[in-house]
Amino acid sequence: MNKVRTSVLSCAAVAVAMTASVTAAQAKTVKVTMTAMETEVVINNNGDKYPAWTFDGGIPGKVVRVTEGDEVDFTLINPKTNKNAHSMDFHAAEVHVLDEFAPVKPGESKHFVFKAKRAGAYMYHCGASAMVEHIARGMYGLIIVDPKKYTKAFPKPDREYVLIQSQLFPAGTSVADLLENKGWTNALINGKPFNYDPVHDPKASGTVLQSKPGERVRIYYVNANINMPIAAHPIAGIWDRVYANGSPKNVLYDMQTYGLPVASAAAMDIVSPSGKATANAIVDHTMSAALRGAITVLINSKDAPDDAGKGDNILPR
């Protein structure tokens, strides 16, 4: 009897060890390097340039994508040619604000590692002083932490798109005016007003978002405004599901409009009618923002390219 009990306990121990080994093998380390670049960027569909502060030279910065449980091995490089200190604040990280998120002087770099413990969609941005200026001039982006598995409540979408909304203030706007929200001229979607809206701006340089009828399209919407909330609404549609903070645990159904506070994000699913072509306009229903650039067109057609909204094409440029 003792031999049988010992054998059973041994098998249980092996099973636990194998499970731990599989779990450890599934987690991975994702290396991410960004360079703070103070440079000019094209800021509208007319080709006008703006003296921006950026991650890697573009507004917004690249999408970082990992899986729940992964380690993010991050390095920020601040070239000596820059005039300002910069930093990185990942909203997905649980670290020491005075250590990992400390400012990096020109000519220096910062390296830190954190574990992405919670699935969701999280803003990242520069947190150096004055933070309001660094964000307003373009230093922001999105990190997606995918869940370990998809479920009935959080299904894998057919297509995904990232829309990051921000405010454009004229070059040279003072920190005092930024804090008071004075003087902003446009709402930017991924760095330009009406970026994916040829209806309101025939010069729209970005391609419209595309899907096929009946597909589930997941929009990761980020509020990178410095002062204003967003009322995200799909004209001619309804959000089938909304995941607050992009978390599978936070699901809402049948939402006409969803509010996004400053410095937050959500995953919002829209499913178009099957069998016929339709279109939606994804807007910030705050009219002062919508009519200054926060309108994005989604076309649902059988002619949608197979690669649109997939892989590296989720942040349209």
Side-chain angles (χ1 to χ4, degrees):
M1 185 68 177
N2 287 337
K3 288 183 178 180
V4 173
R5 183 180 180 186
T6 302
S7 177
V8 170
L9 291 175
S10 297
C11 289
V14 170
V16 170
M18 287 179 65
T19 301
S21 176
V22 170
T23 302
Q26 289 175 340
K28 60 184 182 297
T29 297
V30 180
K31 291 190 175 183
V32 180
T33 299
M34 295 188 196
T35 300
M37 299 176 65
E38 298 172 6
T39 184
E40 288 190 330
V41 302
V42 174
I43 203 67
N44 58 32
N45 297 321
N46 291 325
D48 296 327
K49 293 188 175 181
Y50 175 81
W53 298 346
T54 72
F55 291 114
D56 294 332
I59 300 178
K62 62 188 176 185
V63 175
V64 177
R65 191 160 203 172
V66 300
T67 300
E68 180 184 5
D70 287 349
E71 281 192 340
V72 179
D73 185 316
F74 178 72
T75 300
L76 175 65
I77 300 170
N78 191 2
K80 62 181 180 181
T81 51
N82 284 343
K83 296 181 180 179
N84 302 278
H86 297 288
S87 71
M88 172 55 76
D89 177 342
F90 278 111
H91 284 193
E94 297 172 76
V95 293
H96 196 311
V97 66
L98 299 179
D99 185 353
E100 287 87 344
F101 290 177
V104 182
K105 296 179 181 179
E108 298 181 359
S109 64
K110 179 73 174 179
H111 171 261
F112 61 87
V113 177
F114 70 92
K115 189 170 185 177
K117 299 177 181 178
R118 306 168 193 263
Y122 298 89
M123 181 181 175
Y124 69 74
H125 61 87
C126 179
S129 184
M131 188 189 301
V132 64
E133 184 174 19
H134 289 253
I135 297 174
R137 293 185 70 161
M139 301 191 82
Y140 54 79
L142 172 69
I143 175 171
I144 300 171
V145 182
D146 289 316
K148 293 178 181 178
K149 64 179 181 179
Y150 291 96
T151 64
K152 185 176 180 180
F154 190 77
K156 185 175 178 62
D158 297 295
R159 300 177 193 258
E160 302 170 296
Y161 292 103
V162 171
L163 300 179
I164 305 181
Q165 184 174 327
S166 60
Q167 296 170 264
L168 177 63
F169 291 82
T173 300
S174 69
V175 170
D177 283 348
L178 291 173
L179 292 174
E180 296 300 324
N181 212 41
K182 290 182 179 179
W184 69 284
T185 58
N186 291 100
L188 307 182
I189 298 294
N190 294 348
K192 295 177 183 176
F194 303 115
N195 202 352
Y196 316 111
D197 179 12
V199 177
H200 292 86
D201 187 348
K203 296 181 180 179
S205 54
T207 179
V208 296
L209 310 190
Q210 298 183 69
S211 74
K212 293 183 178 181
E215 289 186 324
R216 177 173 296 276
V217 178
R218 183 159 296 156
I219 304 294
Y220 294 97
Y221 210 120
V222 184
N223 184 351
N225 290 334
I226 58 171
N227 292 304
M228 297 174 61
I230 291 171
H233 169 70
I235 297 177
I238 294 174
W239 297 122
D240 181 70
R241 303 180 193 189
V242 172
Y243 302 94
N245 204 59
S247 171
K249 299 176 181 178
N250 304 329
V251 59
L252 299 169
Y253 295 90
D254 304 335
M255 301 294 292
Q256 59 183 316
T257 304
Y258 184 72
L260 287 164
V262 172
S264 71
M268 300 181 285
D269 289 4
I270 184 168
V271 181
S272 61
S274 60
K276 66 175 184 177
T278 58
N280 303 101
I282 299 168
V283 306
D284 179 352
H285 218 297
T286 308
M287 288 293 100
S288 60
L291 299 181
R292 294 183 187 184
I295 303 177
T296 296
V297 174
L298 170 64
I299 300 292
N300 310 298
S301 163
K302 65 179 182 179
D303 299 323
D306 289 337
D307 61 348
K310 300 178 183 179
D312 294 331
N313 297 320
I314 67 171
L315 177 60
R317 291 293 193 180

